[in-house]
């Protein structure tokens, strides 16, 4: 009962925090796509439009709706993670394969910008939450593409030592100044406020939260107009996994 009550208070607190953030930050994020949708719906009411114009306006409306649904989805994901604390399903999987999967998924985006990818990944097994970590690589790679320049480069390196697994993603993009780097994990922060790039500034807030749940570190180094390197350090769990399976074998032998 006491436990339940504590959990309830905690949940209410975080809902309250979310609500405050929601009012002050999200309203603007919602307004932009909503006014886009409103504008094009009004334009569509004109009966003299050509079929081609109609298609263009409909496409803009679809884009606005996609933006809204992504925003809602990310707010919900973040809220869920903030209430998650430590409990989550973990299993062993191949990290290099997962990252390759993300790169493949993003292929249309990096091909469109004619980016050159240099991928050097060791075979790495990791024990963690597969679904959440997928979101991490997706956000990091999406940023490396989005904040790059056409025909730019991205290098992806994955290596492990006995102690840790290190992922390093370097892009040759627009980079950031020191002031920007300190704010990138803040909810809704976007370096470029002109909304030229799609997104809501929630990607790295999600990344940070997920990495915290895995006791991992993330560090950025960036130079404006040169590029950005992000380094993620995860504890190497292969030795833990081995230890665990030995433990299981011992238990099986005992019973
Ligand atoms: N590789 C990068 N190069 C330059 N700037 C970056 C890079 N990664 C992140 N940033 C800066 O950090 C900000 C926050 O990043 P984040 O991923 O949280 O949001 P976003 O990409 O703008 O939107 P979303 O991830 O929600 O689609 C970005 O708007 C951008 O200014
Ligand atoms: Mg992003």
């Amino acid at each position: 009962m006491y436990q339940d009550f504590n959990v309830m208070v905690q949940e209410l607190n975080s809902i309250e925090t979310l609500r405050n953030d929601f009012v002050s930050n999200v309203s603007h994020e919602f307004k932009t796509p909503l006014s886009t949708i409103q504008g094009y719906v009004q334009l569509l009411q004109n009966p003299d439009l050509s079929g081609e114009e109609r298609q263009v306006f409909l496409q803009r409306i679809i884009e606005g709706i996609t933006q809204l649904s992504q925003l809602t989805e990310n707010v919900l994901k973040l809220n869920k993670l903030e209430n998650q604390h430590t409990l989550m399903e973990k299993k062993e999987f191949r990290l290099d394969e997962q990252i390759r999967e993300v790169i493949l998924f993003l292929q249309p985006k990096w091909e469109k910008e004619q980016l050159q990818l240099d991928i050097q990944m060791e075979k790495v097994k990791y024990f963690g939450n597969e679904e959440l970590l997928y979101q991490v690589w997706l956000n990091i790679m999406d940023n490396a593409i989005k904040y790059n320049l056409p025909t730019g480069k991205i290098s992806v390196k994955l290596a492990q030592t006995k102690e840790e697994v290190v992922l390093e993603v370097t892009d040759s993009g627009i980079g950031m100044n020191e002031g920007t780097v300190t704010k990138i994990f803040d909810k809704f922060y976007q370096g470029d406020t002109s909304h030229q790039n799609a997104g809501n500034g929630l990607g790295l807030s999600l990344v940070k939260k997920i990495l915290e749940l895995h006791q991992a570190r993330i560090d950025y180094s960036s130079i404006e107009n040169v590029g950005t390197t992000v380094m993620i350090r995860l504890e190497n769990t292969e030795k833990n996994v081995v230890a665990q399976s030995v433990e299981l074998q011992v238990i099986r032998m005992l019973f």
Side-chain angles (χ1 to χ4, degrees):
M1 179 70 185
Y2 176 73
Q3 276 289 341
D4 286 353
F5 186 70
N6 268 347
V7 169
M8 205 172 82
V9 169
Q10 232 168 35
E11 279 181 1
L12 284 175
N13 277 340
S14 63
I15 289 169
E16 190 54 37
T17 316
L18 186 74
R19 193 172 294 138
N20 291 338
D21 280 357
F22 204 80
V23 174
S24 54
N25 293 320
V26 187
S27 49
H28 178 71
E29 294 296 321
F30 262 97
K31 251 193 203 159
T32 318
L34 270 181
S35 54
T36 306
I37 295 169
Q38 195 181 22
Y40 284 108
V41 166
Q42 272 164 4
L43 285 173
L44 274 177
Q45 283 174 329
N46 179 353
D48 304 328
L49 289 176
S50 70
E52 213 174 296
E53 282 170 323
R54 211 169 275 279
Q55 278 312 312
V56 172
F57 296 166
L58 280 171
Q59 188 53 38
R60 299 275 183 278
I61 293 171
I62 292 170
E63 281 162 15
I65 293 170
T66 309
Q67 220 176 323
L68 277 182
S69 81
Q70 265 168 7
L71 171 63
T72 316
E73 207 176 291
N74 278 343
V75 169
L76 291 174
K77 267 188 206 157
L78 203 56
N79 185 38
K80 198 171 157 210
L81 279 173
E82 279 175 346
N83 293 321
Q84 182 130 15
H85 304 299
T86 49
L87 271 183
M88 62 177 171
E89 195 194 312
K90 286 185 178 180
K91 67 172 184 188
E92 195 193 15
F93 63 96
R94 282 275 299 277
L95 211 57
D96 55 316
E97 282 176 3
Q98 188 179 49
I99 295 169
R100 213 163 268 125
E101 210 181 298
V102 169
I103 294 172
L104 218 62
F105 175 75
L106 292 171
Q107 189 166 5
K109 279 196 184 180
W110 53 262
E111 266 188 359
K112 193 171 163 232
E113 297 298 319
Q114 295 181 320
L115 301 179
Q116 215 182 79
L117 265 71
D118 174 21
I119 301 162
Q120 291 170 38
M121 290 200 283
E122 283 177 25
K123 215 168 114 178
V124 173
K125 282 185 189 156
Y126 183 71
F127 186 74
N129 185 292
E130 201 175 0
E131 203 188 320
L132 291 178
L133 285 168
Y134 187 93
Q135 299 295 320
V136 172
W137 323 132
L138 189 64
N139 276 307
I140 297 293
M141 287 306 299
D142 184 56
N143 285 348
I145 297 168
K146 199 158 64 170
Y147 302 111
N148 219 316
L149 301 168
T151 71
K153 284 186 189 143
I154 298 177
S155 99
V156 181
K157 281 188 200 139
L158 180 72
Q160 66 177 331
T161 63
K162 250 194 227 158
E163 283 75 34
E164 58 181 10
V165 174
V166 182
L167 174 74
E168 211 181 288
V169 178
T170 302
D171 67 63
S172 62
I174 58 170
M176 295 174 267
N177 61 33
E178 278 174 34
T180 304
V181 175
T182 58
K183 296 187 213 116
I184 54 177
F185 296 110
D186 296 350
K187 281 182 218 167
F188 299 106
Y189 176 80
Q190 288 196 287
D192 176 11
T193 48
S194 69
H195 285 269
Q196 265 185 345
N197 281 310
N200 310 106
L202 284 178
L204 287 179
S205 311
L206 278 164
V207 163
K208 191 165 176 236
K209 194 69 211 164
I210 296 166
L211 291 177
E212 265 170 24
L213 289 168
H214 286 86
Q215 283 89 42
R217 280 190 51 185
I218 176 163
D219 293 295
Y220 269 84
S221 62
S222 188
I223 303 173
E224 251 182 321
N225 302 318
V226 175
T228 302
T229 296
V230 48
M231 198 182 266
I232 295 173
R233 292 169 190 277
L234 303 145
E235 196 186 327
N236 194 343
T237 52
E238 232 182 312
K239 56 180 190 288
N240 301 343
V241 172
V242 173
Q244 269 174 12
S245 64
V246 170
E247 237 168 66
L248 270 179
Q249 273 170 8
V250 173
I251 292 169
R252 274 200 202 103
M253 276 159 62
L254 286 173
F255 291 95

mmCIF file of all heavy atoms in Angstrom, residues 229-253:
data_model
loop_
_atom_site.group_PDB
_atom_site.id
_atom_site.type_symbol
_atom_site.label_atom_id
_atom_site.label_comp_id
_atom_site.label_asym_id
_atom_site.label_seq_id
_atom_site.Cartn_x
_atom_site.Cartn_y
_atom_site.Cartn_z
ATOM 1 N N THR A 229 31.604 14.893 -33.676
ATOM 2 C CA THR A 229 31.848 13.504 -33.303
ATOM 3 C C THR A 229 31.073 13.199 -32.034
ATOM 4 O O THR A 229 31.146 13.954 -31.070
ATOM 5 C CB THR A 229 33.347 13.237 -33.041
ATOM 6 O OG1 THR A 229 34.047 13.439 -34.270
ATOM 7 C CG2 THR A 229 33.591 11.815 -32.568
ATOM 8 N N VAL A 230 30.321 12.122 -32.073
ATOM 9 C CA VAL A 230 29.648 11.673 -30.859
ATOM 10 C C VAL A 230 30.232 10.327 -30.455
ATOM 11 O O VAL A 230 30.435 9.444 -31.293
ATOM 12 C CB VAL A 230 28.100 11.637 -31.026
ATOM 13 C CG1 VAL A 230 27.680 10.940 -32.279
ATOM 14 C CG2 VAL A 230 27.438 10.994 -29.825
ATOM 15 N N MET A 231 30.558 10.222 -29.162
ATOM 16 C CA MET A 231 31.157 8.992 -28.663
ATOM 17 C C MET A 231 30.262 8.397 -27.579
ATOM 18 O O MET A 231 29.919 9.086 -26.612
ATOM 19 C CB MET A 231 32.532 9.294 -28.089
ATOM 20 C CG MET A 231 33.366 8.053 -27.950
ATOM 21 S SD MET A 231 34.937 8.439 -27.212
ATOM 22 C CE MET A 231 35.916 8.663 -28.655
ATOM 23 N N ILE A 232 29.876 7.153 -27.775
ATOM 24 C CA ILE A 232 29.027 6.483 -26.788
ATOM 25 C C ILE A 232 29.803 5.313 -26.194
ATOM 26 O O ILE A 232 30.359 4.495 -26.929
ATOM 27 C CB ILE A 232 27.710 6.009 -27.443
ATOM 28 C CG1 ILE A 232 26.904 7.237 -27.888
ATOM 29 C CG2 ILE A 232 26.889 5.156 -26.473
ATOM 30 C CD1 ILE A 232 25.685 6.920 -28.697
ATOM 31 N N ARG A 233 29.863 5.293 -24.875
ATOM 32 C CA ARG A 233 30.600 4.221 -24.197
ATOM 33 C C ARG A 233 29.633 3.374 -23.381
ATOM 34 O O ARG A 233 28.973 3.891 -22.477
ATOM 35 C CB ARG A 233 31.631 4.801 -23.247
ATOM 36 C CG ARG A 233 32.751 5.515 -23.928
ATOM 37 C CD ARG A 233 33.553 6.275 -22.889
ATOM 38 N NE ARG A 233 34.496 7.149 -23.529
ATOM 39 C CZ ARG A 233 35.684 6.769 -23.980
ATOM 40 N NH1 ARG A 233 36.072 5.517 -23.841
ATOM 41 N NH2 ARG A 233 36.472 7.632 -24.564
ATOM 42 N N LEU A 234 29.569 2.110 -23.724
ATOM 43 C CA LEU A 234 28.719 1.168 -22.984
ATOM 44 C C LEU A 234 29.629 0.204 -22.239
ATOM 45 O O LEU A 234 30.703 -0.140 -22.739
ATOM 46 C CB LEU A 234 27.854 0.359 -23.947
ATOM 47 C CG LEU A 234 26.932 1.116 -24.898
ATOM 48 C CD1 LEU A 234 26.850 0.385 -26.228
ATOM 49 C CD2 LEU A 234 25.553 1.258 -24.303
ATOM 50 N N GLU A 235 29.170 -0.223 -21.096
ATOM 51 C CA GLU A 235 29.947 -1.211 -20.366
ATOM 52 C C GLU A 235 29.926 -2.523 -21.164
ATOM 53 O O GLU A 235 28.859 -2.923 -21.652
ATOM 54 C CB GLU A 235 29.281 -1.424 -19.003
ATOM 55 C CG GLU A 235 30.153 -2.116 -17.999
ATOM 56 C CD GLU A 235 29.364 -2.411 -16.735
ATOM 57 O OE1 GLU A 235 28.479 -1.593 -16.402
ATOM 58 O OE2 GLU A 235 29.615 -3.445 -16.126
ATOM 59 N N ASN A 236 31.088 -3.146 -21.322
ATOM 60 C CA ASN A 236 31.101 -4.409 -22.070
ATOM 61 C C ASN A 236 30.454 -5.512 -21.237
ATOM 62 O O ASN A 236 30.971 -5.900 -20.199
ATOM 63 C CB ASN A 236 32.525 -4.808 -22.453
ATOM 64 C CG ASN A 236 32.511 -5.896 -23.507
ATOM 65 O OD1 ASN A 236 31.490 -6.552 -23.722
ATOM 66 N ND2 ASN A 236 33.623 -6.081 -24.171
ATOM 67 N N THR A 237 29.325 -5.991 -21.735
ATOM 68 C CA THR A 237 28.548 -6.934 -20.930
ATOM 69 C C THR A 237 28.873 -8.385 -21.268
ATOM 70 O O THR A 237 28.340 -9.277 -20.647
ATOM 71 C CB THR A 237 27.041 -6.715 -21.132
ATOM 72 O OG1 THR A 237 26.789 -6.727 -22.524
ATOM 73 C CG2 THR A 237 26.583 -5.430 -20.501
ATOM 74 N N GLU A 238 29.729 -8.574 -22.262
ATOM 75 C CA GLU A 238 29.957 -9.965 -22.679
ATOM 76 C C GLU A 238 30.463 -10.821 -21.522
ATOM 77 O O GLU A 238 30.049 -11.951 -21.345
ATOM 78 C CB GLU A 238 30.900 -10.033 -23.864
ATOM 79 C CG GLU A 238 30.274 -10.868 -24.955
ATOM 80 C CD GLU A 238 31.169 -11.030 -26.156
ATOM 81 O OE1 GLU A 238 31.709 -10.036 -26.641
ATOM 82 O OE2 GLU A 238 31.306 -12.164 -26.589
ATOM 83 N N LYS A 239 31.322 -10.201 -20.699
ATOM 84 C CA LYS A 239 31.835 -10.960 -19.552
ATOM 85 C C LYS A 239 30.705 -11.249 -18.544
ATOM 86 O O LYS A 239 30.636 -12.310 -17.971
ATOM 87 C CB LYS A 239 33.004 -10.243 -18.892
ATOM 88 C CG LYS A 239 32.729 -8.842 -18.433
ATOM 89 C CD LYS A 239 33.988 -8.249 -17.802
ATOM 90 C CE LYS A 239 33.720 -6.937 -17.112
ATOM 91 N NZ LYS A 239 33.477 -5.814 -18.010
ATOM 92 N N ASN A 240 29.762 -10.267 -18.401
ATOM 93 C CA ASN A 240 28.613 -10.493 -17.512
ATOM 94 C C ASN A 240 27.740 -11.628 -18.036
ATOM 95 O O ASN A 240 27.259 -12.456 -17.288
ATOM 96 C CB ASN A 240 27.724 -9.252 -17.407
ATOM 97 C CG ASN A 240 28.491 -8.069 -16.885
ATOM 98 O OD1 ASN A 240 29.563 -8.242 -16.329
ATOM 99 N ND2 ASN A 240 27.939 -6.891 -17.077
ATOM 100 N N VAL A 241 27.545 -11.596 -19.375
ATOM 101 C CA VAL A 241 26.695 -12.614 -19.984
ATOM 102 C C VAL A 241 27.302 -13.993 -19.763
ATOM 103 O O VAL A 241 26.627 -14.927 -19.382
ATOM 104 C CB VAL A 241 26.498 -12.326 -21.495
ATOM 105 C CG1 VAL A 241 25.785 -13.471 -22.163
ATOM 106 C CG2 VAL A 241 25.717 -11.045 -21.677
ATOM 107 N N VAL A 242 28.626 -14.072 -19.975
ATOM 108 C CA VAL A 242 29.316 -15.347 -19.774
ATOM 109 C C VAL A 242 29.136 -15.785 -18.317
ATOM 110 O O VAL A 242 28.742 -16.907 -18.027
ATOM 111 C CB VAL A 242 30.824 -15.228 -20.133
ATOM 112 C CG1 VAL A 242 31.554 -16.497 -19.752
ATOM 113 C CG2 VAL A 242 30.974 -14.966 -21.613
ATOM 114 N N ALA A 243 29.363 -14.832 -17.391
ATOM 115 C CA ALA A 243 29.228 -15.148 -15.965
ATOM 116 C C ALA A 243 27.814 -15.641 -15.663
ATOM 117 O O ALA A 243 27.628 -16.627 -14.954
ATOM 118 C CB ALA A 243 29.553 -13.917 -15.136
ATOM 119 N N GLN A 244 26.823 -14.959 -16.257
ATOM 120 C CA GLN A 244 25.434 -15.349 -16.006
ATOM 121 C C GLN A 244 25.129 -16.754 -16.515
ATOM 122 O O GLN A 244 24.477 -17.530 -15.845
ATOM 123 C CB GLN A 244 24.488 -14.376 -16.707
ATOM 124 C CG GLN A 244 24.103 -13.222 -15.825
ATOM 125 C CD GLN A 244 23.289 -12.208 -16.590
ATOM 126 O OE1 GLN A 244 22.841 -12.481 -17.691
ATOM 127 N NE2 GLN A 244 23.107 -11.060 -16.006
ATOM 128 N N SER A 245 25.637 -17.068 -17.726
ATOM 129 C CA SER A 245 25.299 -18.382 -18.260
ATOM 130 C C SER A 245 25.997 -19.477 -17.468
ATOM 131 O O SER A 245 25.464 -20.560 -17.304
ATOM 132 C CB SER A 245 25.586 -18.458 -19.761
ATOM 133 O OG SER A 245 26.953 -18.299 -19.964
ATOM 134 N N VAL A 246 27.194 -19.168 -16.956
ATOM 135 C CA VAL A 246 27.877 -20.146 -16.098
ATOM 136 C C VAL A 246 27.037 -20.373 -14.845
ATOM 137 O O VAL A 246 26.792 -21.505 -14.438
ATOM 138 C CB VAL A 246 29.307 -19.659 -15.730
ATOM 139 C CG1 VAL A 246 29.923 -20.548 -14.658
ATOM 140 C CG2 VAL A 246 30.194 -19.643 -16.963
ATOM 141 N N GLU A 247 26.559 -19.275 -14.272
ATOM 142 C CA GLU A 247 25.717 -19.357 -13.086
ATOM 143 C C GLU A 247 24.497 -20.246 -13.332
ATOM 144 O O GLU A 247 24.164 -21.107 -12.548
ATOM 145 C CB GLU A 247 25.195 -17.953 -12.758
ATOM 146 C CG GLU A 247 25.527 -17.471 -11.360
ATOM 147 C CD GLU A 247 25.224 -16.002 -11.261
ATOM 148 O OE1 GLU A 247 24.046 -15.666 -11.362
ATOM 149 O OE2 GLU A 247 26.173 -15.209 -11.132
ATOM 150 N N LEU A 248 23.856 -20.028 -14.510
ATOM 151 C CA LEU A 248 22.665 -20.802 -14.857
ATOM 152 C C LEU A 248 22.986 -22.285 -14.954
ATOM 153 O O LEU A 248 22.249 -23.125 -14.484
ATOM 154 C CB LEU A 248 22.103 -20.323 -16.188
ATOM 155 C CG LEU A 248 21.070 -19.197 -16.101
ATOM 156 C CD1 LEU A 248 20.630 -18.800 -17.494
ATOM 157 C CD2 LEU A 248 19.850 -19.638 -15.294
ATOM 158 N N GLN A 249 24.167 -22.571 -15.585
ATOM 159 C CA GLN A 249 24.575 -23.968 -15.730
ATOM 160 C C GLN A 249 24.747 -24.619 -14.357
ATOM 161 O O GLN A 249 24.319 -25.738 -14.140
ATOM 162 C CB GLN A 249 25.885 -24.048 -16.498
ATOM 163 C CG GLN A 249 25.657 -24.095 -17.998
ATOM 164 C CD GLN A 249 26.952 -23.940 -18.761
ATOM 165 O OE1 GLN A 249 28.022 -23.948 -18.167
ATOM 166 N NE2 GLN A 249 26.836 -23.788 -20.058
ATOM 167 N N VAL A 250 25.359 -23.841 -13.449
ATOM 168 C CA VAL A 250 25.585 -24.369 -12.097
ATOM 169 C C VAL A 250 24.238 -24.668 -11.457
ATOM 170 O O VAL A 250 24.038 -25.738 -10.880
ATOM 171 C CB VAL A 250 26.396 -23.360 -11.246
ATOM 172 C CG1 VAL A 250 26.477 -23.832 -9.803
ATOM 173 C CG2 VAL A 250 27.786 -23.190 -11.835
ATOM 174 N N ILE A 251 23.286 -23.731 -11.614
ATOM 175 C CA ILE A 251 21.962 -23.931 -11.025
ATOM 176 C C ILE A 251 21.309 -25.185 -11.614
ATOM 177 O O ILE A 251 20.773 -26.014 -10.901
ATOM 178 C CB ILE A 251 21.070 -22.688 -11.251
ATOM 179 C CG1 ILE A 251 21.624 -21.528 -10.419
ATOM 180 C CG2 ILE A 251 19.614 -22.957 -10.855
ATOM 181 C CD1 ILE A 251 21.017 -20.191 -10.722
ATOM 182 N N ARG A 252 21.451 -25.325 -12.972
ATOM 183 C CA ARG A 252 20.855 -26.510 -13.616
ATOM 184 C C ARG A 252 21.467 -27.805 -13.086
ATOM 185 O O ARG A 252 20.787 -28.789 -12.894
ATOM 186 C CB ARG A 252 21.062 -26.422 -15.132
ATOM 187 C CG ARG A 252 19.972 -25.635 -15.749
ATOM 188 C CD ARG A 252 19.807 -25.888 -17.217
ATOM 189 N NE ARG A 252 19.126 -24.739 -17.767
ATOM 190 C CZ ARG A 252 19.722 -23.789 -18.455
ATOM 191 N NH1 ARG A 252 21.001 -23.867 -18.741
ATOM 192 N NH2 ARG A 252 19.037 -22.761 -18.894
ATOM 193 N N MET A 253 22.793 -27.764 -12.863
ATOM 194 C CA MET A 253 23.470 -28.965 -12.370
ATOM 195 C C MET A 253 22.998 -29.324 -10.963
ATOM 196 O O MET A 253 22.933 -30.477 -10.590
ATOM 197 C CB MET A 253 24.987 -28.749 -12.366
ATOM 198 C CG MET A 253 25.606 -29.026 -13.735
ATOM 199 S SD MET A 253 27.187 -28.229 -13.910
ATOM 200 C CE MET A 253 28.097 -29.050 -12.624
#
